[in-house]
Each structure stands twice: as structure tokens, then as C-alpha cells.
Amino acid sequence: MSAPRRAVLAGALALTGLLAAAAPLAAQAADYPDKPIRLIVPYPPGGATDVIGRVAAQALGHELNQSVVVENRAGATGNIGAAAVAAAAPDGYTLLMGALTSHSINAALYGSKVPYDLQKSFAPVSMLGRVPLVFVVNPQVPAKNLQELIALAKSKPGQLTFASSGNGSPQHLAGELFKVAAGVDMLHVPYRGSGPAMTDLVGGQVLTMIETAPAAQPQIKGGNLRPLAAASAKRIPTLPDLPTASEAGLQGFEVSSMFGILAPAGTPPAVIDKLNGALKKVLSSDAVKAQMLEQGVIAEYATPQGTAQEIKAEIDKWTMVIQKANIKAD
């Protein structure tokens, strides 16, 4: 056989091999899902990630005509559950209910100590929504708006306290971003969770906090805390009279806890597209939007590519904050 004919034959065999390898993936995508899907929540039951995941799982299961089973796998600030999904078979039957802001902070804060790469170990499926944060102060603080809080902090450098739900939490990093953006020096007081932080904030042991709207709202409505501004890009639907930080004079300040669904890297694009299409329908449902809003979540859909861009932007933002504030991992 001549060299040219051997080359043609080799090319034909290679193409046949590629087509043969692609055929099972195409068939898999066409039949998907033909068994229950596991949605791993990397936190304990009852928290925001768990609640959002259960709303999404029920609606997604209905849309796909297949069970979507929530499995809580908590530990190591979300890293244990996330690592389990990163190591799972990339077939679309194991998904991560991601607290994308927290995972992004972990990536920026802990670097190679995290047992997965947030941008390389996963295939983004879609955003699900955002939980806005809000500036709140104990009523004894004389500041009535955000500009007055900034002026107060500048007049007492290092003395005004801000609480968080723990070192490296979104509340902590939001406070550090505020210090950078406003040019103020405040004292961070970390707690083991939002509950104890809110208790001491109401009691006056600490004076300020940037907390999630769902956690802060009962205390705001009860008159126990004074809201100064929403940290989100848009006004919070359940607090419509509260200006955003940008409206209150702190231009460009935006922090919200972002949530979304990720699959293991290598999941067939057709499976990702099918999941994304189903979630697009789910997140356009008025009933699902209302369920989300009841939990303080503003529903938000994104394409896989858009979700990847959001994750990159979060990692870039928190890396900048961590470097400027010289924050070290515990």
C-alpha cells in the first residue's frame, strides 16, 4: 500500500474512532436523565444553601420528570461536599448546589489548600440566585445613613466594631471590602455563625454588620437594628425604601451571596445544556421566584458561560480584598 493511501486509511480510522466515542455521549445526553440525580449541598440542613437547593431540586425534578435528591455533605466550610462532586463521574447525575461566593472566597483565601480548583474542576450549569446583604447598626450608633457611618468610622479609627459570622465568611469579606472602598479602619469581631453575631449586635456588644437581608430583616422590622443601605446592585424587594450603597454615595460597592449549580468537569456539553435549559424554565416560573423570595433569594438565571464569568469575577474581587486587607487563612 502506498504512503498516501495509508495516510488516508489512518485518517478514516481515526475519524471512525472519534465518531464511535462520541456516539455513546450523544445517546447518553438524549436519554438523560434516566435515573435520579443527586444534588450535593456542602452545608448542613437548614441553611441558605440547603433551602435554595431544595426549592431548586423540587422544581428541576418536575421539569426533567426525574427525581432530584438533595444530599447534605457538610464540613470544611463547604469544601468536603464540593470536592466530592469534583471527583464524581462527569455524567450529570451528581451536581453541586454551590454557595458560589463562599467557594470563591475559599479559593482566594486558601489557594492550593482547597482540594479542587473552582474554575477547572467543575462545569458551570447555571446561576440560581443571589441573597443580598445589608448594612445594619445597633440603634445606639448615631449614624442615620451610610455617609454618616463612614464619617463616624473615620473619626474613630480602629474603634468602631463590625461583626461577622466567622473569619473568611462573606460577611467578613464584605466588611473588609467596605474598609477598602470607604477608606476606613474598623475592628473585625468574628463569631461562630450569624446567630451569635446578630445577638451581640442587637445587644450592643458590637455596633455594625453587613449581614444577609433574610437574617437581618426580622431585627430591622422589630426596631432592634437600623438599616443604612443595601449592599446589592439593586434595591431589595422586601426593603424597597432602603437605598443601595451606590445610591447612598459609596459608588460601585456591591456584595451579595451568589448561588448556582455546578457539574463535574468533563460532563458532556449536551447534558449541561439540557440542565441549563430546564433551570431557565424553572427560574422563569413565578411560583419558584416567589418561593425563592420567601427565603430572601432573588432568582437569577445565567448561561453556563455567564455563570463561569460570574465565578471568575467573584474570585478576582475577593483576591483583591484579601490582598489589600492582608487577610490570612486561619
Side-chain angles (χ1 to χ4, degrees):
M1 185 183 295
S2 66
R5 289 186 64 190
R6 281 198 300 272
V8 171
L9 181 58
L13 289 172
L15 179 59
T16 301
L18 288 173
L19 292 173
L25 294 179
Q28 179 190 43
D31 296 338
Y32 176 84
D34 61 3
K35 63 181 180 180
I37 298 167
R38 288 190 308 156
L39 181 63
I40 304 294
V41 174
Y43 298 98
T49 312
D50 179 67
V51 171
I52 297 166
R54 291 179 187 277
V55 171
Q58 183 178 17
L60 182 61
H62 183 266
E63 186 64 35
L64 293 172
N65 197 30
Q66 185 58 261
S67 297
V68 179
V69 181
V70 172
E71 180 181 320
N72 296 89
R73 199 174 294 190
T77 63
N79 287 333
I80 290 176
V85 175
D91 54 11
Y93 289 99
T94 303
L95 305 175
L96 177 66
M97 176 58 225
L100 301 181
T101 295
S102 294
H103 294 317
S104 297
I105 290 171
N106 285 346
L109 187 58
Y110 297 105
S112 61
K113 294 179 181 178
V114 177
Y116 56 86
D117 185 313
L118 186 59
Q119 293 180 278
K120 295 179 181 177
S121 301
F122 301 99
V125 176
S126 176
M127 291 275 290
L128 285 181
R130 297 177 190 267
V131 173
L133 275 68
V134 58
F135 288 84
V136 286
V137 297
N138 182 281
Q140 69 178 282
V141 176
K144 299 296 190 295
N145 57 54
L146 196 57
Q147 288 303 317
E148 289 183 4
L149 179 66
I150 292 171
L152 180 64
K154 287 184 175 180
S155 72
K156 298 181 177 182
Q159 297 180 45
L160 199 62
T161 52
F162 78 93
S164 82
S165 59
N167 283 315
S169 66
Q171 292 90 334
H172 173 205
L173 271 292
E176 297 292 350
L177 179 59
F178 174 60
K179 287 166 58 178
V180 171
V184 297
D185 180 16
M186 298 172 66
L187 178 63
H188 174 223
V189 183
Y191 287 82
R192 290 178 178 249
S194 286
M198 291 297 287
T199 296
D200 273 11
L201 182 60
V202 169
Q205 283 77 28
V206 286
L207 298 177
T208 73
M209 188 173 182
I210 305 176
E211 177 58 296
T212 61
Q217 263 180 203
Q219 302 297 344
I220 293 171
K221 293 184 183 300
N224 299 317
L225 294 176
R226 181 188 305 128
L228 301 184
S232 48
K234 298 179 181 179
R235 291 198 179 198
I236 301 169
T238 51
L239 295 168
D241 297 329
L242 189 66
T244 66
S246 288
E247 290 173 333
L250 193 61
Q251 295 297 322
F253 187 92
E254 180 186 345
V255 179
S256 58
S257 281
M258 189 170 76
F259 298 86
I261 290 182
L262 310 178
T267 300
V271 170
I272 296 293
D273 289 345
K274 191 164 189 177
L275 284 166
N276 181 270
L279 285 168
K280 184 175 184 179
K281 291 181 181 179
V282 162
L283 294 168
S284 68
S285 160
D286 289 339
V288 171
K289 287 180 182 177
Q291 277 185 288
M292 292 277 203
L293 196 56
E294 280 179 17
Q295 305 301 329
V297 185
I298 300 171
E300 181 177 338
Y301 161 80
T303 64
Q305 296 77 17
T307 305
Q309 290 169 2
E310 293 282 1
I311 291 170
K312 183 181 184 304
E314 284 288 281
I315 293 174
D316 290 346
K317 174 166 65 177
W318 299 123
T319 298
M320 178 274 293
V321 172
I322 287 165
Q323 289 174 347
K324 285 194 173 183
N326 195 29
I327 300 169
K328 304 296 183 184
D330 287 337

